[in-house]
Amino acid sequence: SQKIEQNSEALNIQEGKTATLTCNYTNYSPAYLQWYRQDPGRGPVFLLLIRENEKEKRKERLKVTFDTTLKQSLFHITASQPADSATYLCALPGDSGYALNFGKGTSLLVTP
Amino acid sequence: ETGVTQTPRHLVMGMTNKKSLKCEQHLGHNAMYWYKQSAKKPLELMFVYNFKEQTENNSVPSRFSPECPNSSHLFLHLHTLQPEDSALYLCASSPSGSGGITDTQYFGPGTRLTVL
């Protein structure tokens, strides 16, 4: 069956450091992968989409890599800030091609 | 503000009650979704509507009944729920619903449902 795995343990880092979150998947051949941010009690917010033929995508302090051989995406936040504290979700297209399947998410805490 | 609104934001209901959740999107999108989010679990896709037609029903119990009267509104009718149905119910929309490579989802704030 299809699985999306993200680190279940919370990631605690110090302000200014780079946070790296991992998304691994099995039994998928996705055309793209998406990352979302979710704050407590709120809906997820889209951050970045990376296509299968792209190795890396950047947006401001965010960087996403996509290795279809390893079946893995890495999500980096450079110069992290306390405001970056949230849960980050990895998502892949389901069988329909547009509805998404989400990982459980990784909670990030950035301390001053 | 993502352009997707949900009401009510919080709902407490007994197992014998009937209630409805409402979602409205102001983005001109063609696809709408219901997700359930329970603690320590990933978002679970419940229903998908594409151009007002239901295209996916992920083995959701019949005590959840969706309705999509037009491409801007989506309802989730609830009846005889169980305590394990307590969760955050999220509505989302996406532009085309046709598998477009740029088809990202826009979520509402969710309804926190508690079933007593």
Side-chain angles (χ1 to χ4, degrees):
Chain A
S1 62
Q2 295 176 325
K3 282 188 181 177
I4 302 172
E5 294 181 358
Q6 296 185 253
N7 288 352
S8 57
E9 291 184 15
L11 179 63
N12 292 347
I13 65 166
Q14 200 169 19
E15 183 176 10
K17 302 288 186 187
T18 295
T20 299
L21 286 68
T22 305
C23 174
N24 294 300
Y25 58 90
T26 54
N27 296 321
Y28 276 99
S29 296
Y32 59 87
L33 182 146
Q34 300 185 23
W35 283 90
Y36 288 75
R37 168 184 171 142
Q38 186 174 22
D39 291 284
R42 309 189 75 158
V45 175
F46 170 74
L47 294 175
L48 279 169
L49 179 152
I50 186 164
R51 305 175 188 192
E52 61 179 336
N53 60 350
E54 297 176 314
K55 293 243 185 277
E56 183 179 297
K57 197 86 171 270
R58 290 175 186 262
K59 178 182 175 183
E60 297 172 354
R61 293 184 297 111
L62 308 180
K63 184 179 87 171
V64 172
T65 63
F66 193 15
D67 188 326
T68 55
T69 302
L70 288 179
K71 295 188 181 298
Q72 181 181 79
S73 175
L74 298 179
F75 178 82
H76 305 273
I77 306 175
T78 58
S80 59
Q81 304 167 0
D84 296 325
S85 299
T87 296
Y88 292 87
L89 306 171
C90 166
L92 294 171
D95 293 336
S96 67
Y98 53 91
L100 294 175
N101 293 326
F102 285 83
K104 286 186 185 179
T106 299
S107 175
L108 172 67
L109 179 63
V110 181
T111 52
Chain B
E1 178 61 47
T2 63
V4 180
T5 58
Q6 289 187 244
T7 54
R9 294 293 308 277
H10 301 272
L11 178 62
V12 179
M13 59 187 288
M15 290 192 284
T16 58
N17 292 156
K18 287 184 182 181
K19 296 286 184 184
S20 295
L21 310 184
K22 179 182 176 183
C23 175
E24 183 173 0
Q25 58 98 358
H26 311 274
L27 301 169
H29 290 169
N30 295 312
M32 295 188 77
Y33 311 79
W34 279 117
Y35 288 89
K36 174 183 178 183
Q37 189 173 38
S38 306
K40 310 272 187 206
K41 284 187 167 184
L43 280 164
E44 298 172 51
L45 180 65
M46 299 175 72
F47 301 104
V48 181
Y49 278 82
N50 194 19
F51 295 97
K52 300 188 298 177
E53 299 296 321
Q54 187 180 129
T55 58
E56 284 191 46
N57 174 342
N58 276 8
S59 304
V60 180
S62 59
R63 56 185 184 270
F64 294 92
S65 174
E67 179 190 359
C68 188
N70 56 62
S71 57
S72 298
H73 293 86
L74 186 64
F75 294 89
L76 189 62
H77 303 299
L78 316 170
H79 63 99
T80 58
L81 294 192
Q82 305 297 312
E84 59 265 29
D85 296 322
S86 299
L88 181 67
Y89 288 85
L90 290 159
C91 172
S93 69
S94 68
S96 68
S98 60
I101 196 70
T102 57
D103 212 50
T104 59
Q105 297 198 3
Y106 295 75
F107 285 83
T111 295
R112 173 66 64 186
L113 174 66
T114 303
V115 182
L116 301 175

